[in-house]
Amino acid sequence: MSAVLEVHDLKAHFFTRRGVIAAVDGVDFSLERGEVMGLVGESGSGKTVTGLSILGLIDPPGRIVAGSIRLAGQELVGASEEEWRMIRGRKVAMIFQDPMMTLNPVLRIDTQMMEAILAHEAIPQEAARQRCRDALGRVGIPSPNERLSAYPHQFSGGMRQRVAIAIALLNNPELIIADEPTTALDVTIQAQIVAQVQKLAAEMGTAVVWVTHDLAVVSGLADKLAVMYAGRIVEEGPTADVLNRPMHPYTLGLLNSLPVRNPRGRPLNQIPGAAPSLLALPPGCPFAPRCIRAVDICRQVAPAETDAGNARRLRCYNPLPAAEAA
Amino acid sequence: MNLIEARRVSKRFVRKPDLAAKIAGMLGAPVKQAVVHALDHVDLSVAPGEVVGLVGESGSGKSTLGRIVAGLQDASDGEVMFEGKDRRTLDADARKRAYLAVQMVFQDPMSSLNPRLRIADIIGEAPLFHGVVGRAEARSYVSEMMNTVGLNPAYAERYPHQFSGGQRARIGIARALAVKPRMIVADEAIAALDASIQAQVINLFMKLRTDFDLAYLFISHDLGVVQHIADRVAILYLGRVVEFAAAEKVLATPNHPYSQALLANMPRVETGKHAFAPLEGEIPSPLDPPRGCHFHPRCPHAMPRCSEEVPPLKEIAPGWMSACHLNDRA
Amino acid sequence: MADVSIKGTLPRDQVETPFARFVADYCSSWLAVAALVVVVVLITLSALAPWIAPQNPYDLTQLSIFDNMLAPGERSMEGKLYLLGTDDQGRDMLSAMFYGLKLSFFVGIVSTAVALAIGIAAGITAAYFGGRIDTVIMRFVDLQLSFPAILIALILLALLGKGVDKVIIALVAVQWAYYARTIRGGALVERQREYIDAARNLALPSHRIIFRHLLPNCLPPLVVVATIQVAHAISLEATLSFLGVGVPITEPSLGLLISNGYKYILSGKYWISVYPGLLLLLTILAINLVGDRLRDLLNPRLKA
Ligand SMILES: Nc1ncnc2c1ncn2[C@@H]1O[C@H](COP(=O)(O)OP(=O)(O)OP(=O)(O)O)[C@@H](O)[C@H]1O
Ligand SMILES: Nc1ncnc2c1ncn2[C@@H]1O[C@H](COP(=O)(O)OP(=O)(O)O)[C@@H](O)[C@H]1O
Ligand code: SF4
Ligand code: SF4
Ligand SMILES: [Mg+2]
Ligand SMILES: [Mg+2]
């Protein structure tokens, strides 16, 4: 089976007056149909820019400087604006942290949903309406028929996010990129949305990239996990495998700092220091200043990606042995 | 004696009618004034040196309660006692000391720092103004505070924008500490920080607790964090405390159905990939909360009585309070 | 109240102040830098007018009616060179323009400064205290803003009579409300920020919170408005003088010079109006360019 999405050596840089920000600097991954990938990392590690690159939404001063993004075999890097219009919303859709990025506050929900369908297909009004109703129903909005003629402000935050997901689903895209879609939501509402997305991926075969900084959310949702640090994926593999046997010191540090992994009331195992500025990256491995396992070479040459077996990949000179951490 | 005790505290916000409602009202349509009961007869106490976690969903009134305890807002009803005395009845000097004794640490590390002041002034202004330190010692006092929270004192002349998120959080903590408070109200104080930085700041909070014998009202939606540092936990739902007890009880064997649902929905790294079984339904609007028990439309155990009668917060075991009619059956 | 600032008591490490960063950003547009240079040069020239102008145009004893209406570059009978010609009174246009510019800047800057002070006091009081105080002040502002500025100024000057001081009073009266509204808008936003809560939590008194915490953070949008309002005030003064209700004829401002020359334009004596006109245009354009750049830099929505 061929992959829905293949990202190879993607580099997206921002050319600012203060210097070049290598927001995404060599990212590789691929996704199969119905597969959910969790993309985790701290803020500024390049998660959003990765997602925006796949939608061709990087604006100046940023641009994709290298690499390839293939969606169902079609190369997206260098596609014309015309081609992008056919791709965006139809083959790949994005869900943002703030649903109002997708929703227009002054238009009714049905107007916005119909527009999203009719932009790509010439189908009768009634058929389009039916599809909108179905989509709202699928994301668990009660009485979708009445809700269609409401305005976004008449929905709660969780409902709005579900409407945004419904719009993303309208054209049965092959890929959905969800950028921190539940970060602003409450625990019980987050659980509802995660459950919906899980069901959709399984039933519709939609591939999902779920961007978040919360390891706990993806642990229950994602098939595989990619951990980003300073513009690169430093560790990737099947979710349970990575969480139970992290090999990269950063992944281990993140896991060990979780309160549930520490005895109650005792100091947490913290990672010292803070993420580096992308404008002043240290030479070598960007994690080296905070890494307890750093060796000499770490401070000289950035580690390349290596295959660690069991569908796991890694960027580290001195990884933890796969057995130790468990 | 409790350091802080909220007794039957209620807070109502009157939403002003918007333009459309005003016009409708002028034309004779019945427009009722929208009143939000942000807090509804809340009782809560914090003992000296104790950490009380306050958990609840958005709009449940956590910040409102925190701000009332910190003296930033006044309650509509009920009183807040500081060391057994109502702060409003104290004379001016004692009142000022009582308010300074409860300091707040805010959620957004950037917007809670004045962007036009240097760190030295942000931390040093209030203690100097209130005479906590003299002018001559101000400099070393600021350095001491910065050391305490793990900041390099050489950065005292910098501005907030020159710091990372975690460092800004530390500045906010140093500012609160500088007036020698007895208690800190931390309102989602780590929510805006990165995972690897959250652990550092939690550790700092715990260190300060032992070093200065500080009490905390620790507001968070992250049950894992609350479980880690809180002695007692209060769970808020739509302006009411539904359960209040020792952390190991509430978070291990919750009594209230809402606490149970919250715990079941909490994402955990441990579980691995699984099907989520979420609690159904939306959080009701605080403008128009359900009658009786606020939780009844979503509660899997709801009985007819639940939609009629407000369940009072009752002691179900020593030191364990819960507000659910189910407890009356046994 | 004791000054409790402790600036300078700590060792300075290398600090990039917000101001230094701002200057660097400003300088990245050469047009804005050029405009700023023009403004600075014009202000300097006008300030130095008594020393660099060939003639004192207000001193009637220096004027000779026989030299009137000389074209640019012509010499008088005594051989004096008039680079930009003379007007109908025999005034050296170049000198008259230096002095006129000086008067225009004086009126523009003084009226803006006074209006700014009044506007800030009114606007920030309204925003910080809210409620009834806010309502009363803002109704007054709305009332003021609902009349065209020129109309209010004309009425005031009709009542007060001519004179530089009267023009300034009229300009203050028409401007303060803009500032009050601008600063109130900014202050309402800033007041929501948590650092104001933090200051209240630290039991600092209201006046200290207003002047030390709230006000400095509301100034940026005001700087933009004030810059552009200086240009506005200058052109309003020119309009009033042109209409004959502004400054007295013995102390011509740029507007009055234009007005004086207006009647000769059709007879080919273009220079009396055109040179002061160009100078006025240059002044206002340059100030507006500076203002636009400030607006771009200070607009939070454009910031990353
Ligand atoms: N100034 C105000 N005017 C009107 N309503 C208000 C005001 N402040 C709070 N409320 C309302 O009071 C209720 C409780 O608000 P509060 O901010 O305490 O919630 P919270 O539990 O802190 O939520 P979050 O997790 O989103 O911060 C909400 O319904 C809110 O809309
Ligand atoms: N429009 C932009 N201009 C300049 N830098 C940008 C822009 N957008 C993002 N960046 C930078 O790219 C890096 C990665 O950003 P992002 O992908 O948004 O991180 P996150 O992992 O938090 O989603 C950050 O350092 C950010 O500052
Ligand atoms: S490459 Fe070296 S510094 Fe980087 S994570 Fe691995 S051990 Fe640490
Ligand atoms: S009182 Fe009734 S509705 Fe409320 S939590 Fe208990 S059982 Fe559920
Ligand atoms: Mg992001
Ligand atoms: Mg809150």
Side-chain angles (χ1 to χ4, degrees), chain A residues 15-320:
Chain A
F15 298 85
T16 68
R17 204 163 47 72
R18 299 162 156 260
V20 179
I21 297 177
V24 172
D25 203 24
V27 159
D28 288 79
F29 65 91
S30 68
L31 273 183
E32 312 269 310
R33 258 179 68 78
E35 197 173 27
V36 181
M37 177 173 101
L39 188 59
V40 299
E42 17 208 331
S43 76
S45 58
K47 308 182 296 290
T48 299
V49 174
T50 304
L52 292 177
S53 304
I54 298 171
L55 271 116
L57 289 177
I58 302 285
D59 291 325
R63 70 187 150 82
I64 295 181
V65 293
S68 103
I69 303 170
R70 297 180 82 81
L71 183 69
Q74 184 189 1
E75 177 60 56
L76 302 187
V77 174
S80 67
E81 204 39 48
E82 195 57 36
E83 288 169 291
W84 270 120
R85 263 195 286 282
M86 293 308 297
I87 297 163
R88 257 182 240 139
R90 183 178 180 129
K91 293 188 170 167
V92 43
M94 185 138 182
I95 306 168
F96 297 92
Q97 174 172 349
D98 178 4
M100 293 316 279
M101 295 274 287
T102 319
L103 299 174
N104 183 333
V106 299
L107 294 181
R108 282 170 25 172
I109 299 294
D110 53 356
T111 321
Q112 304 190 39
M113 295 186 84
M114 305 274 280
E115 202 172 54
I117 298 179
L118 299 175
H120 295 292
E121 271 175 276
I123 59 170
Q125 291 270 331
E126 204 28 60
R129 244 195 122 70
Q130 184 57 44
R131 211 198 281 176
C132 298
R133 264 194 295 270
D134 292 347
L136 286 185
R138 238 173 9 206
V139 294
I141 291 194
S143 44
N145 209 15
E146 288 79 70
R147 289 304 197 150
L148 262 182
S149 47
Y151 288 90
H153 74 261
Q154 295 170 308
F155 290 91
S156 68
M159 295 269 254
R160 252 181 247 158
Q161 191 58 283
R162 267 184 266 187
V163 173
I165 297 177
I167 291 181
L169 291 175
L170 278 176
N171 297 304
N172 287 331
E174 306 181 44
L175 172 69
I176 290 184
I177 296 168
D179 190 359
E180 314 233 5
T182 58
T183 304
L185 301 178
D186 285 309
V187 187
T188 58
I189 306 301
Q190 164 170 289
Q192 291 172 355
I193 293 207
V194 170
Q196 294 298 348
V197 169
Q198 208 168 37
K199 212 167 90 201
L200 291 167
E203 288 171 8
M204 320 274 302
T206 319
V208 180
V209 178
W210 187 278
V211 175
T212 179
H213 60 259
D214 188 343
L215 280 173
V217 173
V218 286
S219 77
L221 167 72
D223 302 292
K224 68 176 175 190
L225 189 61
V227 181
M228 272 190 97
Y229 192 82
R232 299 197 179 111
I233 292 180
V234 294
E235 174 156 24
E236 195 205 309
T239 306
D241 218 22
V242 173
L243 293 180
N244 296 332
R245 286 174 297 280
M247 294 167 78
H248 196 280
Y250 174 62
T251 318
L252 178 73
L254 278 184
L255 283 165
N256 281 347
S257 68
L258 293 175
V260 288
R261 293 259 170 132
N262 287 271
R264 207 172 149 245
R266 304 305 310 279
L268 303 171
N269 282 301
Q270 62 184 39
I271 305 178
S277 153
L278 292 184
L279 277 171
L281 274 185
C285 172
F287 188 60
R290 307 173 73 189
C291 181
I292 38 167
R293 298 179 61 87
V295 289
D296 280 346
I297 178 112
C298 301
R299 295 186 193 88
Q300 286 147 25
V301 189
E305 194 169 81
T306 50
D307 195 323
N310 289 333
R312 294 184 62 166
R313 291 181 304 151
L314 204 60
R315 275 181 196 270
C316 180
Y317 290 118
N318 188 16
L320 292 110

Side-chain angles (χ1 to χ4, degrees), chain B residues 256-258 293-297 299-303 305-307 309 311 323-326:
Chain B
H256 196 279
Y258 174 66
C293 173
H294 282 342
F295 189 54
H296 82 258
C299 179
H301 311 291
M303 313 169 277
R305 182 181 171 198
C306 301
S307 48
E309 219 182 297
C324 174
H325 291 312
L326 287 176

